[in-house]
């Protein structure tokens, strides 16, 4: 495709890199910034516009909203520059509806304006418009809100006027349709003349169209107009500069009489040299497929454009057209009519989510968009996005992927296929969440890497909770990070991987990687078959060897436990399954040769969430411990059971709640590990994130969660966060219900304090390792982590030590200087062997961006 290469940015963009943090006592740890999503947007935009804001004759793409763009947080407006989205001007708040250029003061110089319901401060005055004065945003016309706007010279005086439609009229916006004057907004009618058409009165699309060919455009609006009870126009009206007139022709289209117009544009749709007004929307009172949802007005009469649009999976909004636009498709240039919305075919032709009107018929635009996604409904524009002189079609909407390519709500079409718009910033994030992780030497080079597992199926249009890419690379559900770059591991499970285990079960002295995954084969009802396999490392990719057993349901945990104390651990699998190979085994099973034996712990609940081994009574004989999960926190049964001497029994009395994990951990550094249970656990003083087995009973441990917080403990980890050679103890937490909250707490003399912020969602697992070989451990947390609250996630968060050492001090002499620069230049190029200390931005190679990081850190290390 014709989009920008990463090298375009090498000389001009300094990646944040693994910079040192000068923080006393590391009170607030910093997440590695490259974890953020780097392609497109991590939340749906309010509006997009193509505007020549500086009068140079070249339009720029602008997008308004809040969230993340090209991996950086924004609130307000961003501009597409050199392949990346960058913030434009100071941030603003509220709902933007239109971005365009308008001459508000009549000086002949149009300004960039954003219309909607907007505020300069979160609790400040709401304006209907913000104007860019070249250095800042100026609030114009306080009021409720604007939904659409257009600029035209309606009276032929040579001066274009800004017209707008209102969310609801108020004192400052006195009518459903208004025009901008020196005194602010003024009505384009007498009181009561105009009422909205269709069943969505809060949105009135506008268009500028020369209906009579006199060279002067008129304002078209989807409204009813009446005077003294006499109907002037119904469904569609036109303003000619002095009066409202009918615009529905002799026979109005069905979309005006029985539906709602959602969008309008002007284009020469039939190629006769004359432009037509195009209206698109949805129908409410006609049989599905009986009438087209797009109609054209030639100034005299309306006609349907082609056949009706159909959505093959019926639901609310079948065949709904959300956007019609005039934009080029492919390298031939000329503007064509496009329609986007909720549809999968028209006239028997597959046209998923977007279609082009070409030679009297609707045709597909590339592969289109999956039925689970609405197509590019926020905007379609023709732009030279890569500077090669060719115009590409770019579209924006709520979609996450096109086919197998993740694009995150912004895509470009080069005439053959859709792909990401622009380039990826330096990123090591995932485009979703993980199910499990492990440290494992996947290629046999003697160094461990971080392996993460998840689903390979995008599950919804707002951002999957499972990942398909890592670091911008396709990694469908199984990926490995060596400290520099991500790569895919072979994944034999079509529906993804759900559990990982690293263990030496064959006694050869070398660990192997075991995984449980979803085969996608039907079992009963909506349940699918799971299987387990073992991975054999290889520098050419490695292979999986299937193990016996077809599990009739979810396998969420794997463990290697010497349950009978014979010195040889066995493979155990736990989950919600109850049958393996047609034999009833319960929710916990052990592999004995080629046969799975049942080890169900009884009690209540629906699944086994965790299995571990622990000497609970100090007799030197570890028992197998199982945690049982329940969808009801009030259901009365023992959550934790132990297997000892050939039978199951209760392990203490855990207060009601959800137990999600078990862990043995030496929390106080006395050399003896304790057993911990994590989850959302009821306690007399509040909801506990963890409980500890202590002297024969369970006691509350860790911070107390507010009952409305819904956070649950997930595990403990020891990490030297300040580089002083002493580990601190951290408890990481997640939100198992909505995955919107999470936290990392540090244990201090003053109690448990929240230690890191900046990523929302929850960290289900924590791993500490020196993956990049720089001699310093980092903390890797994975789960449902997000770059910002409400975003689709990054799947992983990385915290580097914030002590006195600094990564740019390559020669470790305590300062960043000429000798470090010399080492960096000597290592120029792609890193080999995974150990490349000069790769300061963790991009997998040494280039100009690493020089930028080094120069930013020049001087003595702090």
């Amino acid at each position: 495709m014709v989009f920008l290469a990463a090298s375009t940015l090498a000389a001009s963009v300094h990646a944040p890199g693994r910079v040192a943090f000068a923080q006393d006592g590391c009170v607030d740890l910093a997440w590695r910034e490259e974890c953020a999503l780097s392609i497109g947007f991590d939340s749906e935009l309010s509006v997009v516009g193509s505007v020549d804001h500086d009068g140079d004759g070249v339009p720029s793409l602008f997008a308004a909203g809040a969230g993340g763009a090209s991996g950086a947080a924004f609130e307000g407006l961003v501009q597409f520059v050199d392949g990346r989205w960058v913030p434009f001007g100071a941030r603003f708040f509220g709902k933007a509806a239109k971005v365009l250029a308008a001459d508000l003061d009549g000086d002949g110089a149009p300004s960039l304006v954003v219309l909607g319901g907007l505020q300069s401060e979160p609790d400040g005055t709401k304006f209907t418009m913000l104007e860019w004065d070249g250095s800042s945003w100026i609030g114009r016309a306080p009021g409720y809100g604007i939904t659409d706007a257009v600029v035209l010279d309606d009276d032929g005086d040579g001066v274009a006027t800004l017209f707008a439609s209102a969310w609801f009229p108020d004192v400052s916006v006195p009518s459903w349709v208004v025009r901008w004057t020196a005194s602010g907004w003024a009505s384009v009618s007498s009181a009561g003349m105009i009422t909205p058409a269709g069943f969505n009165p809060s949105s009135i699309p506008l268009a500028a169209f020369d209906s009579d060919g006199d060279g002067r455009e008129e304002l078209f609006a989807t409204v009813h107009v009446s005077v003294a009870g006499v109907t002037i126009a119904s469904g569609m009206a036109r303003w000619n500069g002095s009066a409202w007139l009918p615009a529905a022709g002799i026979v109005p289209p069905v979309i005006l009489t029985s539906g709602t117009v959602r969008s309008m544009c002007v284009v020469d749709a039939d190629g006769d040299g004359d432009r037509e007004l195009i209206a698109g929307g949805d129908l409410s009172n006609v049989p599905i497929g009986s009438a087209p949802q797009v109609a054209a007005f030639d100034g005299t009469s309306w006609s349907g454009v082609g056949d009706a649009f159909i959505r093959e999976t019926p639901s609310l909004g079948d065949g709904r057209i959300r956007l019609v636009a005039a934009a080029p498709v492919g390298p031939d240039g000329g503007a064509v009519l496009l329609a986007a919305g909720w549809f999968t075919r028209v006239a028997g032709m597959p046209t998923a989510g977007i279609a082009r009107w070409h030679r009297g018929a609707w045709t597909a635009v590339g592969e289109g968009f999956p039925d689970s996604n609405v197509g590019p409904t926020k905007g379609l524009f023709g732009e030279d996005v890569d500077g090669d002189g060719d115009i590409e079609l770019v579209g924006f909407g709520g979609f996450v992927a096109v086919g197998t390519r993740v694009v995150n709500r912004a895509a470009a079409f080069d005439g053959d296929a859709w792909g990401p718009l622009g380039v990826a910033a330096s990123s090591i994030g995932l485009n979703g969440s993980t199910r499990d992780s492990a440290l494992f030497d996947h290629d046999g080079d003697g160094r461990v890497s971080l392996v993460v597992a998840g689903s390979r199926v995008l599950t919804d249009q707002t951002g999957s909770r499972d990942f398909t890419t890592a670091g911008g690379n396709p990694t469908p559900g199984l990926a490995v990070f060596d400290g520099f770059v991500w790569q895919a591991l072979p994944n034999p499970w079509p529906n993804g991987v759900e559990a990982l285990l690293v263990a030496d079960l064959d006694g050869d002295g070398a660990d192997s990687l075991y995984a449980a995954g979803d085969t996608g084969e039907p079992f009963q009802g909506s349940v699918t078959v799971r299987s387990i396999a073992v991975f054999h490392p290889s520098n050419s990719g490695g292979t999986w060897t299937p193990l016996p057993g077809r599990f009739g349901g979810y396998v969420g945990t794997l463990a290697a436990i010497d349950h009978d104390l014979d010195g040889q651990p066995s493979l155990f699998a736990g989950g919600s399954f109850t049958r393996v190979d047609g034999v009833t085994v319960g929710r916990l099973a052990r592999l004995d040769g080629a046969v799975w034996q049942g080890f169900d712990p009884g009690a209540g609940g629906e699944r086994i969430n965790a299995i571990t081994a622990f000497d609970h009574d100090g007799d030197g004989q570890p028992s197998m411990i199982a945690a049982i999960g329940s969808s009801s926190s009030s259901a009365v049964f023992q959550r934790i059971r132990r297997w000892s001497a050939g039978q199951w029994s209760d392990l203490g009395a855990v207060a009601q709640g959800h137990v999600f994990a078990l862990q043995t951990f030496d929390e106080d550094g006395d050399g003896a590990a304790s057993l911990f249970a994590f989850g959302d656990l009821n306690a007399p003083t509040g909801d506990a994130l963890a409980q500890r087995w202590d002297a024969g009973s369970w006691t509350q441990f860790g911070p107390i969660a507010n009952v409305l917080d819904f956070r649950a403990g997930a595990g403990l980890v020891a990490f030297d966060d300040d580089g002083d050679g002493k580990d601190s103890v951290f408890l990481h937490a997640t939100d198992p219900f909505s995955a919107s909250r999470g936290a990392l707490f540090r244990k201090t003399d003053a109690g448990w304090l929240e230690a890191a912020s900046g990523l929302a969602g929850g960290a289900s697992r924590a791993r500490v390792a020196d993956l990049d070989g720089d001699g310093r451990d980092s903390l890797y947390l994975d789960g449902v982590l997000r770059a910002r609250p409400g975003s689709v996630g990054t799947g992983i968060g990385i915290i580097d030590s914030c002590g006195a050492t600094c990564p740019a001090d390559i020669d470790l002499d305590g300062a960043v200087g000429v000798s470090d620069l010399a080492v960096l230049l000597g290592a120029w190029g792609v890193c080999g062997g995974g150990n490349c200390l000069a790769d300061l931005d963790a991009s997998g190679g040494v280039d100009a961006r690493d020089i930028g990081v080094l120069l930013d850190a020049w001087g003595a290390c702090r």
Side-chain angles (χ1 to χ4, degrees), residues 18-33:
R18 293 166 289 141
V19 297
F21 303 99
Q23 300 175 17
D24 295 336
C26 294
V27 174
D28 186 16
L29 298 180
W31 302 92
R32 195 181 295 182
E33 294 181 32

Side-chain angles (χ1 to χ4, degrees), residues 441-519:
D441 180 7
H442 73 288
D443 54 10
D445 67 353
R447 298 180 61 250
V448 298
S449 297
L450 178 68
V451 180
V452 295
S455 169
R456 60 191 300 174
V457 180
L458 286 174
T459 56
D460 61 48
Q461 73 178 54
T462 60
S464 170
R465 289 189 56 184
D466 305 297
F467 72 91
T468 57
T469 66
N473 300 318
T475 55
L478 196 58
V480 60
F481 182 62
D482 64 2
F484 298 94
V485 295
W486 288 96
Q487 67 183 68
L489 279 185
N491 186 351
W493 293 278
N495 284 9
V497 178
E498 296 171 332
L500 298 173
L501 168 68
V502 175
D504 177 15
L505 290 174
D506 54 14
D508 66 355
D511 284 337
S512 298
L513 177 66
Y514 296 81
D518 188 343
T519 68

Side-chain angles (χ1 to χ4, degrees), residues 291-351:
Q293 297 95 324
V294 179
F297 182 60
D298 62 5
T300 302
S301 62
W302 287 88
S303 59
V305 180
D307 295 306
F309 289 82
I310 302 294
R311 189 179 186 194
E312 292 166 311
T313 304
S315 66
L316 179 65
D318 289 321
R320 181 184 300 173
I321 301 299
R322 298 292 300 276
L323 177 71
V324 288
V329 175
D332 53 351
V336 298
L337 173 62
L338 295 141
W342 280 352
F343 54 84
T344 55
R345 63 183 175 90
V346 58
M349 174 71 67
T351 51

Side-chain angles (χ1 to χ4, degrees), residues 511-551:
D511 284 337
S512 298
L513 177 66
Y514 296 81
D518 188 343
T519 68
E521 302 172 50
F523 178 70
Q524 290 179 351
S526 61
V527 176
T528 51
V529 172
R530 270 64 167 188
S531 66
I532 299 175
V534 58
F535 182 76
H536 302 283
S538 168
N539 56 16
S540 61
T543 58
W544 290 95
T545 299
L547 297 182
R550 297 173 82 254
F551 292 76

